[in-house]
Amino acid sequence: MTNVAIIGTEKSGRTSLAANLGKKGTASDITLYNNDKESRKMVFLDAHSYPKTLKSLVTTLNISDMVILCIPPQGLDAHTGECIIALDLLGFRHGIIALTRSDSTHMHAIDELKAKIKAITAGTVLQDWECISINTNKSAKNPFEGVEELKTRIDEISEKIEAEQSELNSLPARILIDHAFNVMGKGCVVLGIVKQGISKDKDKTKIFPLDRDIEIRSIQSHDVDITEAPTGTRVGMRLKNVQAKDIERGFIISDKEFVTTDYTLECTFSKFTKKIEIGNVLHLFVGLQSEPTRVEKILVGGQEVKEAKPGSTCVLELSGGKKVAYSKDDRFLLANLDLTQRFAAYGFAK
């Protein structure tokens, strides 16, 4: 199964495209569109509350395997740039750039936009992503032009993603939760994505950061009961020994996680941010969890300094206020919510 994030600035055509590719399902600050009619099942995710909130964008990216970045004829605005920076900081491997609303522009303008995109993405993870012109306007002269080409490319990339997912099946099961609720007669139900391993019904495991023993009572995918869910599967699970009110987005089902309120991260800062100083408040994202943290110490080459400059690498010591769960391979994102371009850095726990 492939999970595809469809992102972009407001009025970029991202929601129209998502609705064209799948049937609307779970909706909160993100909306899921399911396509289980083809031989390869897919979920398309629209971070529709972005750019108002970063949380929906980061959530969508961290439960996806592929990205479609929608850019309208008006071109690259500040939020499109912010999306590019986020993808680069996350090291996102698979994606396509969709030049949307192609019915409202002309060929020369599209070629000019492609040249601008190539220039601005040079040196980023997006530099080799293909640009495909599309429209999802039913009343256009050529309605849905380019969409079939886009679907073909999505399918080709999905083959690579599924091969990568199969290599992760031998790892211990790890599920990221994005929704939790109670169902009459069934108890606690969570929705999420299997990030690695194979999760099985009747598994006895834990939920973090609660660090509580639980049992997976049953598993569904696309409303079909299944006995096991390999890496990449979008799942609904009934859980025993926990209530939905105790679960927040980003909680993790696994056998073992690190849990902390303070962080020591080896960070690389974006060259498009501003300097960071001791005492600054940075918003921390890891997996689907997020919280504000305070910069307590900055180390460069083992020496304490007063600030971290754009484009630099350093060690940050951060203090937070709630328990967060993570694994040693998780990539942290740091953001300064007071800036126009909010993403500041990525890092890994030391």
Side-chain angles (χ1 to χ4, degrees), residues 58 62 89-90 258 260 262-268 283-287 289 291 293 318 324-335 343-350:
V58 177
N62 279 334
L89 291 175
L90 283 171
F258 296 102
T260 189
D262 300 317
Y263 314 87
T264 300
L265 304 179
E266 184 140 13
C267 294
T268 300
H283 211 82
L284 176 145
F285 298 91
V286 60
Q289 302 162 97
E291 71 154 334
T293 59
L318 305 166
V324 166
Y326 66 94
S327 79
K328 63 180 179 64
D329 296 322
D330 282 344
R331 184 181 290 236
F332 290 74
L333 276 184
L334 297 173
F343 290 108
Y346 75 88
F348 294 92
K350 285 178 64 67

Short mmCIF file of all heavy atoms in Angstrom, two decimals, residues 58 62 89-90 258 260 262-268 283-287 289 291 293 318 324-335 343-350:
data_model
loop_
_atom_site.label_atom_id
_atom_site.label_comp_id
_atom_site.label_asym_id
_atom_site.label_seq_id
_atom_site.Cartn_x
_atom_site.Cartn_y
_atom_site.Cartn_z
N VAL A 58 3.18 18.49 8.70
CA VAL A 58 4.16 17.52 9.19
C VAL A 58 3.50 16.16 9.40
O VAL A 58 4.09 15.12 9.07
CB VAL A 58 4.83 18.03 10.48
CG1 VAL A 58 5.79 16.98 11.03
CG2 VAL A 58 5.56 19.34 10.23
N ASN A 62 4.70 12.76 7.48
CA ASN A 62 5.29 11.66 8.25
C ASN A 62 4.47 10.38 8.21
O ASN A 62 4.93 9.35 8.71
CB ASN A 62 5.54 12.10 9.69
CG ASN A 62 6.82 12.89 9.84
OD1 ASN A 62 7.75 12.74 9.05
ND2 ASN A 62 6.89 13.75 10.83
N LEU A 89 14.36 19.15 4.50
CA LEU A 89 14.81 18.86 5.86
C LEU A 89 14.44 17.44 6.28
O LEU A 89 15.16 16.79 7.03
CB LEU A 89 14.19 19.86 6.84
CG LEU A 89 14.71 21.31 6.75
CD1 LEU A 89 13.93 22.22 7.70
CD2 LEU A 89 16.19 21.40 7.05
N LEU A 90 13.32 16.95 5.76
CA LEU A 90 12.90 15.57 6.07
C LEU A 90 13.62 14.54 5.21
O LEU A 90 13.51 13.34 5.46
CB LEU A 90 11.39 15.42 5.87
CG LEU A 90 10.50 16.00 6.99
CD1 LEU A 90 9.04 15.98 6.55
CD2 LEU A 90 10.68 15.21 8.28
N PHE A 258 12.09 5.24 23.19
CA PHE A 258 12.66 6.18 24.16
C PHE A 258 11.57 7.19 24.51
O PHE A 258 10.81 7.62 23.64
CB PHE A 258 13.87 6.91 23.58
CG PHE A 258 15.03 6.01 23.27
CD1 PHE A 258 15.30 5.62 21.96
CD2 PHE A 258 15.84 5.55 24.29
CE1 PHE A 258 16.37 4.79 21.68
CE2 PHE A 258 16.93 4.71 24.02
CZ PHE A 258 17.18 4.34 22.71
N THR A 260 11.01 10.92 26.69
CA THR A 260 11.72 12.01 27.36
C THR A 260 10.91 13.29 27.31
O THR A 260 9.94 13.41 26.53
CB THR A 260 13.10 12.24 26.71
OG1 THR A 260 13.85 13.15 27.49
CG2 THR A 260 12.94 12.78 25.30
N ASP A 262 13.12 16.14 27.65
CA ASP A 262 14.26 16.98 27.27
C ASP A 262 15.05 16.28 26.17
O ASP A 262 15.05 15.05 26.06
CB ASP A 262 15.17 17.23 28.48
CG ASP A 262 14.44 17.93 29.62
OD1 ASP A 262 13.68 18.86 29.34
OD2 ASP A 262 14.61 17.52 30.78
N TYR A 263 15.76 17.07 25.36
CA TYR A 263 16.35 16.53 24.15
C TYR A 263 17.75 17.06 23.95
O TYR A 263 18.04 18.24 24.19
CB TYR A 263 15.49 16.93 22.93
CG TYR A 263 14.02 16.74 23.14
CD1 TYR A 263 13.26 17.74 23.74
CD2 TYR A 263 13.39 15.56 22.78
CE1 TYR A 263 11.91 17.57 23.96
CE2 TYR A 263 12.04 15.38 23.00
CZ TYR A 263 11.31 16.38 23.60
OH TYR A 263 9.96 16.20 23.83
N THR A 264 18.63 16.19 23.46
CA THR A 264 19.94 16.60 22.96
C THR A 264 20.00 16.15 21.51
O THR A 264 20.01 14.94 21.22
CB THR A 264 21.08 15.97 23.77
OG1 THR A 264 20.96 16.36 25.14
CG2 THR A 264 22.43 16.41 23.24
N LEU A 265 19.99 17.11 20.60
CA LEU A 265 19.88 16.81 19.17
C LEU A 265 21.09 17.34 18.40
O LEU A 265 21.54 18.47 18.63
CB LEU A 265 18.63 17.45 18.58
CG LEU A 265 17.28 17.12 19.21
CD1 LEU A 265 16.17 17.89 18.49
CD2 LEU A 265 17.01 15.63 19.17
N GLU A 266 21.61 16.52 17.51
CA GLU A 266 22.62 16.98 16.56
C GLU A 266 21.87 17.54 15.37
O GLU A 266 21.20 16.80 14.64
CB GLU A 266 23.53 15.84 16.14
CG GLU A 266 24.64 16.28 15.24
CD GLU A 266 25.97 15.58 15.56
OE1 GLU A 266 25.97 14.60 16.29
OE2 GLU A 266 26.97 16.06 15.04
N CYS A 267 21.95 18.85 15.15
CA CYS A 267 21.06 19.55 14.22
C CYS A 267 21.80 20.14 13.03
O CYS A 267 22.96 20.56 13.14
CB CYS A 267 20.32 20.68 14.95
SG CYS A 267 19.18 20.12 16.22
N THR A 268 21.09 20.20 11.92
CA THR A 268 21.53 20.93 10.74
C THR A 268 20.48 21.98 10.44
O THR A 268 19.31 21.66 10.26
CB THR A 268 21.70 20.00 9.54
OG1 THR A 268 22.68 19.00 9.85
CG2 THR A 268 22.14 20.77 8.31
N HIS A 283 9.50 25.07 18.07
CA HIS A 283 8.50 24.01 18.09
C HIS A 283 9.13 22.74 17.54
O HIS A 283 9.71 22.75 16.46
CB HIS A 283 7.28 24.40 17.25
CG HIS A 283 6.01 23.81 17.77
ND1 HIS A 283 5.30 24.38 18.81
CD2 HIS A 283 5.35 22.69 17.43
CE1 HIS A 283 4.23 23.64 19.06
NE2 HIS A 283 4.25 22.60 18.24
N LEU A 284 9.05 21.69 18.30
CA LEU A 284 9.67 20.41 17.95
C LEU A 284 8.62 19.44 17.40
O LEU A 284 7.54 19.30 17.96
CB LEU A 284 10.35 19.82 19.18
CG LEU A 284 11.00 18.44 19.06
CD1 LEU A 284 12.26 18.38 19.93
CD2 LEU A 284 10.03 17.33 19.51
N PHE A 285 8.96 18.80 16.30
CA PHE A 285 8.12 17.76 15.71
C PHE A 285 8.95 16.48 15.61
O PHE A 285 10.11 16.51 15.17
CB PHE A 285 7.67 18.13 14.29
CG PHE A 285 6.83 19.37 14.21
CD1 PHE A 285 7.41 20.61 14.02
CD2 PHE A 285 5.44 19.30 14.30
CE1 PHE A 285 6.63 21.76 13.93
CE2 PHE A 285 4.65 20.43 14.20
CZ PHE A 285 5.25 21.67 14.02
N VAL A 286 8.36 15.35 16.01
CA VAL A 286 8.98 14.05 15.77
C VAL A 286 7.85 13.05 15.54
O VAL A 286 6.93 12.95 16.35
CB VAL A 286 9.91 13.62 16.92
CG1 VAL A 286 9.18 13.50 18.24
CG2 VAL A 286 10.63 12.30 16.57
N GLY A 287 7.91 12.32 14.41
CA GLY A 287 6.77 11.50 14.05
C GLY A 287 5.55 12.38 13.90
O GLY A 287 5.57 13.37 13.17
N GLN A 289 4.12 13.69 16.73
CA GLN A 289 4.07 14.43 17.99
C GLN A 289 4.71 15.80 17.82
O GLN A 289 5.60 15.99 16.99
CB GLN A 289 4.82 13.66 19.08
CG GLN A 289 4.29 12.26 19.33
CD GLN A 289 5.31 11.40 20.07
OE1 GLN A 289 5.25 11.26 21.27
NE2 GLN A 289 6.26 10.86 19.33
N GLU A 291 5.60 19.68 20.21
CA GLU A 291 5.51 20.49 21.42
C GLU A 291 6.52 21.63 21.35
O GLU A 291 7.54 21.54 20.67
CB GLU A 291 5.76 19.64 22.67
CG GLU A 291 7.19 19.19 22.86
CD GLU A 291 7.51 18.93 24.33
OE1 GLU A 291 6.86 19.53 25.21
OE2 GLU A 291 8.43 18.14 24.60
N THR A 293 9.56 23.82 22.73
CA THR A 293 10.74 23.55 23.56
C THR A 293 11.58 24.81 23.66
O THR A 293 11.51 25.70 22.81
CB THR A 293 11.60 22.42 22.97
OG1 THR A 293 12.03 22.79 21.65
CG2 THR A 293 10.84 21.11 22.90
N LEU A 318 17.57 20.97 24.47
CA LEU A 318 16.24 21.56 24.52
C LEU A 318 15.47 21.02 25.70
O LEU A 318 15.60 19.83 26.05
CB LEU A 318 15.46 21.25 23.24
CG LEU A 318 16.12 21.63 21.91
CD1 LEU A 318 15.42 20.95 20.76
CD2 LEU A 318 16.10 23.14 21.72
N VAL A 324 7.46 12.68 25.26
CA VAL A 324 7.43 12.38 23.84
C VAL A 324 8.18 11.08 23.61
O VAL A 324 9.21 10.82 24.23
CB VAL A 324 8.07 13.53 23.03
CG1 VAL A 324 8.36 13.10 21.60
CG2 VAL A 324 7.18 14.76 23.05
N ALA A 325 7.66 10.23 22.73
CA ALA A 325 8.27 8.94 22.41
C ALA A 325 8.95 9.01 21.05
O ALA A 325 8.44 9.63 20.12
CB ALA A 325 7.21 7.84 22.43
N TYR A 326 10.10 8.33 20.93
CA TYR A 326 10.81 8.32 19.66
C TYR A 326 11.76 7.13 19.62
O TYR A 326 12.06 6.51 20.64
CB TYR A 326 11.60 9.62 19.48
CG TYR A 326 12.73 9.81 20.45
CD1 TYR A 326 14.03 9.42 20.12
CD2 TYR A 326 12.51 10.35 21.72
CE1 TYR A 326 15.08 9.58 21.02
CE2 TYR A 326 13.55 10.50 22.63
CZ TYR A 326 14.83 10.12 22.27
OH TYR A 326 15.86 10.26 23.16
N SER A 327 12.26 6.83 18.42
CA SER A 327 13.30 5.82 18.25
C SER A 327 14.58 6.52 17.83
O SER A 327 14.56 7.68 17.41
CB SER A 327 12.88 4.78 17.21
OG SER A 327 13.07 5.29 15.90
N LYS A 328 15.69 5.81 17.90
CA LYS A 328 16.99 6.42 17.60
C LYS A 328 17.11 6.85 16.14
O LYS A 328 17.95 7.71 15.81
CB LYS A 328 18.12 5.45 17.95
CG LYS A 328 18.15 4.17 17.15
CD LYS A 328 19.30 3.28 17.56
CE LYS A 328 19.33 1.97 16.77
NZ LYS A 328 19.56 2.19 15.33
N ASP A 329 16.30 6.28 15.25
CA ASP A 329 16.37 6.63 13.84
C ASP A 329 15.40 7.74 13.44
O ASP A 329 15.40 8.17 12.28
CB ASP A 329 16.09 5.39 12.98
CG ASP A 329 17.15 4.31 13.15
OD1 ASP A 329 18.33 4.67 13.29
OD2 ASP A 329 16.78 3.12 13.17
N ASP A 330 14.57 8.20 14.36
CA ASP A 330 13.59 9.23 14.03
C ASP A 330 14.27 10.57 13.74
O ASP A 330 15.22 10.96 14.41
CB ASP A 330 12.59 9.43 15.18
CG ASP A 330 11.54 8.35 15.22
OD1 ASP A 330 11.38 7.62 14.23
OD2 ASP A 330 10.86 8.23 16.26
N ARG A 331 13.74 11.25 12.74
CA ARG A 331 14.25 12.57 12.38
C ARG A 331 13.36 13.64 13.02
O ARG A 331 12.16 13.66 12.83
CB ARG A 331 14.25 12.74 10.85
CG ARG A 331 14.85 14.06 10.37
CD ARG A 331 14.78 14.16 8.85
NE ARG A 331 15.70 13.25 8.20
CZ ARG A 331 16.63 13.60 7.32
NH1 ARG A 331 16.79 14.88 7.01
NH2 ARG A 331 17.40 12.71 6.74
N PHE A 332 13.98 14.52 13.79
CA PHE A 332 13.26 15.62 14.44
C PHE A 332 13.27 16.84 13.51
O PHE A 332 14.25 17.09 12.81
CB PHE A 332 13.95 16.02 15.75
CG PHE A 332 13.82 15.00 16.86
CD1 PHE A 332 14.55 13.82 16.84
CD2 PHE A 332 12.99 15.24 17.93
CE1 PHE A 332 14.45 12.89 17.86
CE2 PHE A 332 12.88 14.33 18.97
CZ PHE A 332 13.61 13.15 18.93
N LEU A 333 12.16 17.58 13.52
CA LEU A 333 12.09 18.87 12.84
C LEU A 333 11.92 19.96 13.89
O LEU A 333 11.18 19.77 14.87
CB LEU A 333 10.90 18.92 11.89
CG LEU A 333 11.03 18.36 10.48
CD1 LEU A 333 9.75 18.62 9.71
CD2 LEU A 333 12.21 18.96 9.74
N LEU A 334 12.58 21.08 13.67
CA LEU A 334 12.44 22.23 14.56
C LEU A 334 11.92 23.41 13.75
O LEU A 334 12.34 23.63 12.60
CB LEU A 334 13.78 22.60 15.19
CG LEU A 334 14.39 21.54 16.11
CD1 LEU A 334 15.79 21.96 16.54
CD2 LEU A 334 13.51 21.29 17.33
N ALA A 335 10.98 24.15 14.34
CA ALA A 335 10.38 25.28 13.64
C ALA A 335 10.30 26.49 14.55
O ALA A 335 10.11 26.36 15.76
CB ALA A 335 8.98 24.90 13.14
N PHE A 343 10.15 26.59 9.16
CA PHE A 343 11.03 25.45 9.42
C PHE A 343 12.48 25.90 9.59
O PHE A 343 13.01 26.65 8.76
CB PHE A 343 10.92 24.42 8.30
CG PHE A 343 9.59 23.71 8.30
CD1 PHE A 343 8.66 23.98 7.30
CD2 PHE A 343 9.26 22.81 9.29
CE1 PHE A 343 7.43 23.34 7.30
CE2 PHE A 343 8.03 22.16 9.30
CZ PHE A 343 7.11 22.43 8.30
N ALA A 344 13.10 25.43 10.68
CA ALA A 344 14.44 25.91 11.01
C ALA A 344 15.53 24.86 10.81
O ALA A 344 16.62 25.19 10.32
CB ALA A 344 14.47 26.40 12.46
N ALA A 345 15.28 23.61 11.22
CA ALA A 345 16.36 22.63 11.23
C ALA A 345 15.79 21.23 11.33
O ALA A 345 14.62 21.02 11.66
CB ALA A 345 17.28 22.89 12.42
N TYR A 346 16.67 20.25 11.05
CA TYR A 346 16.37 18.86 11.38
C TYR A 346 17.49 18.34 12.27
O TYR A 346 18.60 18.88 12.30
CB TYR A 346 16.20 17.99 10.13
CG TYR A 346 17.49 17.64 9.43
CD1 TYR A 346 18.22 16.51 9.78
CD2 TYR A 346 17.98 18.43 8.40
CE1 TYR A 346 19.40 16.19 9.14
CE2 TYR A 346 19.15 18.12 7.74
CZ TYR A 346 19.87 16.99 8.13
OH TYR A 346 21.03 16.67 7.49
N GLY A 347 17.18 17.27 13.01
CA GLY A 347 18.21 16.71 13.88
C GLY A 347 17.90 15.30 14.30
O GLY A 347 16.78 14.80 14.10
N PHE A 348 18.90 14.65 14.88
CA PHE A 348 18.75 13.30 15.40
C PHE A 348 19.21 13.29 16.85
O PHE A 348 20.14 14.02 17.24
CB PHE A 348 19.58 12.30 14.58
CG PHE A 348 19.12 12.13 13.17
CD1 PHE A 348 19.66 12.89 12.15
CD2 PHE A 348 18.10 11.22 12.88
CE1 PHE A 348 19.22 12.74 10.85
CE2 PHE A 348 17.65 11.07 11.56
CZ PHE A 348 18.21 11.84 10.56
N ALA A 349 18.58 12.45 17.67
CA ALA A 349 18.91 12.39 19.08
C ALA A 349 20.29 11.79 19.27
O ALA A 349 20.68 10.85 18.61
CB ALA A 349 17.86 11.55 19.82
N LYS A 350 21.05 12.39 20.19
CA LYS A 350 22.39 11.89 20.53
C LYS A 350 22.29 10.94 21.71
O LYS A 350 21.43 11.08 22.56
CB LYS A 350 23.31 13.05 20.89
CG LYS A 350 23.77 13.86 19.67
CD LYS A 350 24.64 15.01 20.07
CE LYS A 350 25.93 14.56 20.72
NZ LYS A 350 26.84 13.86 19.80
#
